[in-house]
Amino acid sequence: MNNTTKIIRLGEHKNKRDIEGSISLEVYYFKNKKIGKYGSKNKPCFTIQNNVIKSHYYIGVDWVCKTSNRAVYISPKLNEDGFETDYLKMLLICLNDTEASKHINSIYDIKNEASLIEIDQQLDLLSPLLIIQFLNLVKQLIKKGLKKSYYREEKHLNARVKGKLLVSQTIKHHTFRSEPLKTICAFDTFGLDHPENQILKTALLFIQTYLSKFPEYTGLTCNLLQYCLPAFEEVSIPTNISSLKHFKSSPFFNSYKETVNIAKLILKRFGHNVRNVEATKIKTQPFWINMPLLFELYAFTFLRKTYGNNIHYQYKSNYQELDFLLNTKYKQLIIDTKYKTVYCKGKSKKEDIRQLAGYARMNKVYKELEKATNETIDCLIIYPIRDKDNQNNKLFDINHMQPIDKYVGFHRLGLSIPYIKNKIGVN
């Protein structure tokens, strides 16, 4: 078996590439779910048919065939002039919204039990995502107040004993050196310097080194890192960083659990060795990022800026789930996001229209909006449009929506998504 992993590179959505030789493949679905919440069939992260591999609406890295040591790498959607979707900026915008940030875990899937895949450091899509989410979670912990706890501490004391006297260590380090009044003792201390905070600080220092090597991410995270690090000034770093792998989080502090888990993932990616941050090759767990879900959350943040709590996310009715339901005194809409470029051309998809038409006929929706059953409920499809210069600072305005031809009460509205210059090359 060849030790060098062959990476098949594709761009997100409808990019194809021929594969040499026949392979056997177990098709993988996002979060291993072939069927959606309400019985709809999900699309796999990628498909292979007649030795042609095809991408869908996911970006990430995964095994194609372990036997022949081949993996697939799918990067964000790339345009002809070399600009690609800036998924990290979209993620950061979502994390800055209190409600959208609660759903971030739903957009990515890390296959922790799968074999690692070696890729070029510059192809790493997962580390920046984990870093941005980790920094935001740490920021939230700091705002609430970092957890204090009892932890074991060993100290060299002079002419006194505190806690448990460590006899053998005292004899070795002091008695044999003619220092009879000095002792080494172990005792419990209440403070910040416990293992959970230690692993968080260690991850922060790894991130600081990582960002110094990849300045393209500094603009997104610099302020967050500068906010977080000073709060851990009293926290020490163990001599053996790998020892931080073996401890259990307290069940009484659930807010720490997710943050510590992501810190462990970050340290695991670099083998608990800060020097590995500089390596040109890294080993990554197979993972996927669901771009339609990310765009859905991204749209949610813009809708909340205008309508606040009047916009209901993932409204459930009749074993179905609407993306958004807008209910204000002056405007009532069923809103759905479609991560499709066809709407940029003024066209539409019949299956999308049928889906929204079904939502607009539900009894529960009529009751929620307090409408008579003989009234028509308007529907809106939000789709992505290009924003090459990242000028998406304007407030998202539903009043600018345009009617969809041939359908009564259906409208479309583009939402700018950020783009960056691709530095790796065309997919």
PDB file of all heavy atoms in Angstrom, residues 355-377:
ATOM      1  N   GLN A 355     -42.433  23.285  -2.430  1.00  0.00           N
ATOM      2  CA  GLN A 355     -42.127  23.140  -1.006  1.00  0.00           C
ATOM      3  C   GLN A 355     -42.695  24.304  -0.199  1.00  0.00           C
ATOM      4  O   GLN A 355     -43.379  24.107   0.812  1.00  0.00           O
ATOM      5  CB  GLN A 355     -40.608  23.062  -0.818  1.00  0.00           C
ATOM      6  CG  GLN A 355     -40.186  22.893   0.636  1.00  0.00           C
ATOM      7  CD  GLN A 355     -38.679  23.001   0.811  1.00  0.00           C
ATOM      8  OE1 GLN A 355     -37.983  23.592  -0.011  1.00  0.00           O
ATOM      9  NE2 GLN A 355     -38.166  22.426   1.879  1.00  0.00           N
ATOM     10  N   LEU A 356     -42.456  25.527  -0.656  1.00  0.00           N
ATOM     11  CA  LEU A 356     -42.951  26.697   0.068  1.00  0.00           C
ATOM     12  C   LEU A 356     -44.468  26.796   0.001  1.00  0.00           C
ATOM     13  O   LEU A 356     -45.118  27.234   0.957  1.00  0.00           O
ATOM     14  CB  LEU A 356     -42.312  27.977  -0.491  1.00  0.00           C
ATOM     15  CG  LEU A 356     -41.094  28.466   0.305  1.00  0.00           C
ATOM     16  CD1 LEU A 356     -39.908  27.530   0.069  1.00  0.00           C
ATOM     17  CD2 LEU A 356     -40.727  29.894  -0.077  1.00  0.00           C
ATOM     18  N   ALA A 357     -45.035  26.389  -1.132  1.00  0.00           N
ATOM     19  CA  ALA A 357     -46.495  26.412  -1.262  1.00  0.00           C
ATOM     20  C   ALA A 357     -47.135  25.480  -0.237  1.00  0.00           C
ATOM     21  O   ALA A 357     -48.189  25.786   0.336  1.00  0.00           O
ATOM     22  CB  ALA A 357     -46.906  26.000  -2.680  1.00  0.00           C
ATOM     23  N   GLY A 358     -46.475  24.346   0.028  1.00  0.00           N
ATOM     24  CA  GLY A 358     -46.977  23.421   1.047  1.00  0.00           C
ATOM     25  C   GLY A 358     -46.912  24.029   2.436  1.00  0.00           C
ATOM     26  O   GLY A 358     -47.849  23.896   3.234  1.00  0.00           O
ATOM     27  N   TYR A 359     -45.788  24.710   2.726  1.00  0.00           N
ATOM     28  CA  TYR A 359     -45.669  25.387   4.024  1.00  0.00           C
ATOM     29  C   TYR A 359     -46.774  26.431   4.204  1.00  0.00           C
ATOM     30  O   TYR A 359     -47.302  26.622   5.307  1.00  0.00           O
ATOM     31  CB  TYR A 359     -44.313  26.091   4.130  1.00  0.00           C
ATOM     32  CG  TYR A 359     -43.113  25.174   4.165  1.00  0.00           C
ATOM     33  CD1 TYR A 359     -41.845  25.637   3.799  1.00  0.00           C
ATOM     34  CD2 TYR A 359     -43.212  23.843   4.578  1.00  0.00           C
ATOM     35  CE1 TYR A 359     -40.731  24.817   3.841  1.00  0.00           C
ATOM     36  CE2 TYR A 359     -42.114  23.012   4.608  1.00  0.00           C
ATOM     37  CZ  TYR A 359     -40.875  23.508   4.240  1.00  0.00           C
ATOM     38  OH  TYR A 359     -39.778  22.687   4.277  1.00  0.00           O
ATOM     39  N   ALA A 360     -47.099  27.117   3.112  1.00  0.00           N
ATOM     40  CA  ALA A 360     -48.064  28.223   3.176  1.00  0.00           C
ATOM     41  C   ALA A 360     -49.514  27.757   3.277  1.00  0.00           C
ATOM     42  O   ALA A 360     -50.431  28.581   3.291  1.00  0.00           O
ATOM     43  CB  ALA A 360     -47.899  29.124   1.945  1.00  0.00           C
ATOM     44  N   ARG A 361     -49.725  26.455   3.336  1.00  0.00           N
ATOM     45  CA  ARG A 361     -51.093  25.933   3.468  1.00  0.00           C
ATOM     46  C   ARG A 361     -51.313  25.202   4.788  1.00  0.00           C
ATOM     47  O   ARG A 361     -52.330  24.550   4.975  1.00  0.00           O
ATOM     48  CB  ARG A 361     -51.402  24.970   2.298  1.00  0.00           C
ATOM     49  CG  ARG A 361     -51.380  25.638   0.922  1.00  0.00           C
ATOM     50  CD  ARG A 361     -52.476  26.696   0.801  1.00  0.00           C
ATOM     51  NE  ARG A 361     -52.427  27.367  -0.490  1.00  0.00           N
ATOM     52  CZ  ARG A 361     -51.736  28.461  -0.754  1.00  0.00           C
ATOM     53  NH1 ARG A 361     -51.000  29.021   0.210  1.00  0.00           N
ATOM     54  NH2 ARG A 361     -51.745  29.005  -1.941  1.00  0.00           N
ATOM     55  N   MET A 362     -50.398  25.311   5.698  1.00  0.00           N
ATOM     56  CA  MET A 362     -50.511  24.598   6.969  1.00  0.00           C
ATOM     57  C   MET A 362     -51.431  25.359   7.926  1.00  0.00           C
ATOM     58  O   MET A 362     -51.320  26.577   8.085  1.00  0.00           O
ATOM     59  CB  MET A 362     -49.123  24.451   7.619  1.00  0.00           C
ATOM     60  CG  MET A 362     -48.186  23.541   6.866  1.00  0.00           C
ATOM     61  SD  MET A 362     -46.603  23.431   7.728  1.00  0.00           S
ATOM     62  CE  MET A 362     -45.707  22.351   6.611  1.00  0.00           C
ATOM     63  N   ASN A 363     -52.314  24.613   8.589  1.00  0.00           N
ATOM     64  CA  ASN A 363     -53.248  25.221   9.543  1.00  0.00           C
ATOM     65  C   ASN A 363     -52.516  25.947  10.671  1.00  0.00           C
ATOM     66  O   ASN A 363     -52.914  27.041  11.091  1.00  0.00           O
ATOM     67  CB  ASN A 363     -54.167  24.150  10.143  1.00  0.00           C
ATOM     68  CG  ASN A 363     -55.210  23.669   9.150  1.00  0.00           C
ATOM     69  OD1 ASN A 363     -55.652  24.439   8.301  1.00  0.00           O
ATOM     70  ND2 ASN A 363     -55.599  22.414   9.260  1.00  0.00           N
ATOM     71  N   LYS A 364     -51.441  25.324  11.156  1.00  0.00           N
ATOM     72  CA  LYS A 364     -50.708  25.914  12.275  1.00  0.00           C
ATOM     73  C   LYS A 364     -50.105  27.263  11.887  1.00  0.00           C
ATOM     74  O   LYS A 364     -50.063  28.193  12.698  1.00  0.00           O
ATOM     75  CB  LYS A 364     -49.603  24.954  12.738  1.00  0.00           C
ATOM     76  CG  LYS A 364     -48.896  25.431  13.999  1.00  0.00           C
ATOM     77  CD  LYS A 364     -47.841  24.426  14.449  1.00  0.00           C
ATOM     78  CE  LYS A 364     -47.089  24.930  15.681  1.00  0.00           C
ATOM     79  NZ  LYS A 364     -46.060  23.979  16.120  1.00  0.00           N
ATOM     80  N   VAL A 365     -49.650  27.373  10.645  1.00  0.00           N
ATOM     81  CA  VAL A 365     -49.067  28.633  10.170  1.00  0.00           C
ATOM     82  C   VAL A 365     -50.147  29.711  10.104  1.00  0.00           C
ATOM     83  O   VAL A 365     -49.931  30.861  10.509  1.00  0.00           O
ATOM     84  CB  VAL A 365     -48.395  28.439   8.796  1.00  0.00           C
ATOM     85  CG1 VAL A 365     -47.959  29.778   8.204  1.00  0.00           C
ATOM     86  CG2 VAL A 365     -47.196  27.497   8.920  1.00  0.00           C
ATOM     87  N   TYR A 366     -51.343  29.346   9.601  1.00  0.00           N
ATOM     88  CA  TYR A 366     -52.452  30.310   9.540  1.00  0.00           C
ATOM     89  C   TYR A 366     -52.838  30.796  10.943  1.00  0.00           C
ATOM     90  O   TYR A 366     -53.123  31.977  11.165  1.00  0.00           O
ATOM     91  CB  TYR A 366     -53.661  29.681   8.843  1.00  0.00           C
ATOM     92  CG  TYR A 366     -53.644  29.870   7.341  1.00  0.00           C
ATOM     93  CD1 TYR A 366     -53.062  28.930   6.506  1.00  0.00           C
ATOM     94  CD2 TYR A 366     -54.215  31.009   6.766  1.00  0.00           C
ATOM     95  CE1 TYR A 366     -53.037  29.102   5.133  1.00  0.00           C
ATOM     96  CE2 TYR A 366     -54.206  31.195   5.386  1.00  0.00           C
ATOM     97  CZ  TYR A 366     -53.613  30.239   4.577  1.00  0.00           C
ATOM     98  OH  TYR A 366     -53.594  30.437   3.214  1.00  0.00           O
ATOM     99  N   LYS A 367     -52.833  29.863  11.905  1.00  0.00           N
ATOM    100  CA  LYS A 367     -53.179  30.244  13.275  1.00  0.00           C
ATOM    101  C   LYS A 367     -52.111  31.151  13.876  1.00  0.00           C
ATOM    102  O   LYS A 367     -52.412  32.120  14.572  1.00  0.00           O
ATOM    103  CB  LYS A 367     -53.357  28.992  14.132  1.00  0.00           C
ATOM    104  CG  LYS A 367     -54.599  28.185  13.787  1.00  0.00           C
ATOM    105  CD  LYS A 367     -54.691  26.929  14.649  1.00  0.00           C
ATOM    106  CE  LYS A 367     -55.924  26.112  14.269  1.00  0.00           C
ATOM    107  NZ  LYS A 367     -56.001  24.846  15.057  1.00  0.00           N
ATOM    108  N   GLU A 368     -50.848  30.829  13.602  1.00  0.00           N
ATOM    109  CA  GLU A 368     -49.744  31.646  14.124  1.00  0.00           C
ATOM    110  C   GLU A 368     -49.804  33.070  13.583  1.00  0.00           C
ATOM    111  O   GLU A 368     -49.572  34.039  14.308  1.00  0.00           O
ATOM    112  CB  GLU A 368     -48.399  31.000  13.745  1.00  0.00           C
ATOM    113  CG  GLU A 368     -47.164  31.775  14.183  1.00  0.00           C
ATOM    114  CD  GLU A 368     -46.939  31.726  15.678  1.00  0.00           C
ATOM    115  OE1 GLU A 368     -47.320  30.720  16.316  1.00  0.00           O
ATOM    116  OE2 GLU A 368     -46.369  32.706  16.210  1.00  0.00           O
ATOM    117  N   LEU A 369     -50.157  33.195  12.302  1.00  0.00           N
ATOM    118  CA  LEU A 369     -50.207  34.510  11.669  1.00  0.00           C
ATOM    119  C   LEU A 369     -51.572  35.183  11.818  1.00  0.00           C
ATOM    120  O   LEU A 369     -51.750  36.324  11.378  1.00  0.00           O
ATOM    121  CB  LEU A 369     -49.859  34.394  10.180  1.00  0.00           C
ATOM    122  CG  LEU A 369     -48.473  33.809   9.846  1.00  0.00           C
ATOM    123  CD1 LEU A 369     -48.263  33.759   8.332  1.00  0.00           C
ATOM    124  CD2 LEU A 369     -47.362  34.618  10.496  1.00  0.00           C
ATOM    125  N   GLU A 370     -52.527  34.434  12.412  1.00  0.00           N
ATOM    126  CA  GLU A 370     -53.892  34.948  12.630  1.00  0.00           C
ATOM    127  C   GLU A 370     -54.526  35.410  11.305  1.00  0.00           C
ATOM    128  O   GLU A 370     -55.071  36.505  11.192  1.00  0.00           O
ATOM    129  CB  GLU A 370     -53.884  36.089  13.653  1.00  0.00           C
ATOM    130  CG  GLU A 370     -53.428  35.644  15.028  1.00  0.00           C
ATOM    131  CD  GLU A 370     -53.458  36.781  16.040  1.00  0.00           C
ATOM    132  OE1 GLU A 370     -53.670  37.940  15.626  1.00  0.00           O
ATOM    133  OE2 GLU A 370     -53.282  36.513  17.250  1.00  0.00           O
ATOM    134  N   LYS A 371     -54.413  34.545  10.326  1.00  0.00           N
ATOM    135  CA  LYS A 371     -54.977  34.839   9.005  1.00  0.00           C
ATOM    136  C   LYS A 371     -56.182  33.950   8.738  1.00  0.00           C
ATOM    137  O   LYS A 371     -56.257  32.803   9.209  1.00  0.00           O
ATOM    138  CB  LYS A 371     -53.926  34.601   7.912  1.00  0.00           C
ATOM    139  CG  LYS A 371     -52.953  35.767   7.700  1.00  0.00           C
ATOM    140  CD  LYS A 371     -52.043  35.488   6.522  1.00  0.00           C
ATOM    141  CE  LYS A 371     -51.245  36.710   6.122  1.00  0.00           C
ATOM    142  NZ  LYS A 371     -52.062  37.752   5.491  1.00  0.00           N
ATOM    143  N   ALA A 372     -57.109  34.465   7.947  1.00  0.00           N
ATOM    144  CA  ALA A 372     -58.249  33.666   7.504  1.00  0.00           C
ATOM    145  C   ALA A 372     -57.772  32.676   6.447  1.00  0.00           C
ATOM    146  O   ALA A 372     -56.847  32.969   5.680  1.00  0.00           O
ATOM    147  CB  ALA A 372     -59.339  34.570   6.924  1.00  0.00           C
ATOM    148  N   THR A 373     -58.402  31.506   6.390  1.00  0.00           N
ATOM    149  CA  THR A 373     -57.929  30.455   5.489  1.00  0.00           C
ATOM    150  C   THR A 373     -58.132  30.785   4.012  1.00  0.00           C
ATOM    151  O   THR A 373     -57.568  30.117   3.142  1.00  0.00           O
ATOM    152  CB  THR A 373     -58.647  29.128   5.807  1.00  0.00           C
ATOM    153  OG1 THR A 373     -60.075  29.346   5.787  1.00  0.00           O
ATOM    154  CG2 THR A 373     -58.230  28.599   7.165  1.00  0.00           C
ATOM    155  N   ASN A 374     -58.921  31.814   3.711  1.00  0.00           N
ATOM    156  CA  ASN A 374     -59.100  32.196   2.306  1.00  0.00           C
ATOM    157  C   ASN A 374     -58.066  33.240   1.861  1.00  0.00           C
ATOM    158  O   ASN A 374     -58.090  33.694   0.721  1.00  0.00           O
ATOM    159  CB  ASN A 374     -60.519  32.735   2.059  1.00  0.00           C
ATOM    160  CG  ASN A 374     -60.822  33.960   2.895  1.00  0.00           C
ATOM    161  OD1 ASN A 374     -60.095  34.278   3.830  1.00  0.00           O
ATOM    162  ND2 ASN A 374     -61.907  34.656   2.566  1.00  0.00           N
ATOM    163  N   GLU A 375     -57.164  33.615   2.764  1.00  0.00           N
ATOM    164  CA  GLU A 375     -56.103  34.564   2.421  1.00  0.00           C
ATOM    165  C   GLU A 375     -54.849  33.825   1.960  1.00  0.00           C
ATOM    166  O   GLU A 375     -54.600  32.680   2.353  1.00  0.00           O
ATOM    167  CB  GLU A 375     -55.752  35.432   3.629  1.00  0.00           C
ATOM    168  CG  GLU A 375     -56.852  36.382   4.064  1.00  0.00           C
ATOM    169  CD  GLU A 375     -56.389  37.268   5.226  1.00  0.00           C
ATOM    170  OE1 GLU A 375     -55.602  38.196   4.958  1.00  0.00           O
ATOM    171  OE2 GLU A 375     -56.794  37.003   6.363  1.00  0.00           O
ATOM    172  N   THR A 376     -54.059  34.485   1.130  1.00  0.00           N
ATOM    173  CA  THR A 376     -52.800  33.922   0.641  1.00  0.00           C
ATOM    174  C   THR A 376     -51.645  34.439   1.489  1.00  0.00           C
ATOM    175  O   THR A 376     -51.561  35.629   1.775  1.00  0.00           O
ATOM    176  CB  THR A 376     -52.560  34.308  -0.831  1.00  0.00           C
ATOM    177  OG1 THR A 376     -53.641  33.817  -1.627  1.00  0.00           O
ATOM    178  CG2 THR A 376     -51.252  33.713  -1.342  1.00  0.00           C
ATOM    179  N   ILE A 377     -50.767  33.527   1.873  1.00  0.00           N
ATOM    180  CA  ILE A 377     -49.579  33.909   2.633  1.00  0.00           C
ATOM    181  C   ILE A 377     -48.405  34.040   1.661  1.00  0.00           C
ATOM    182  O   ILE A 377     -48.107  33.117   0.906  1.00  0.00           O
ATOM    183  CB  ILE A 377     -49.248  32.870   3.715  1.00  0.00           C
ATOM    184  CG1 ILE A 377     -50.425  32.717   4.680  1.00  0.00           C
ATOM    185  CG2 ILE A 377     -47.977  33.264   4.470  1.00  0.00           C
ATOM    186  CD1 ILE A 377     -50.231  31.620   5.705  1.00  0.00           C
TER     187      ILE A 377
END
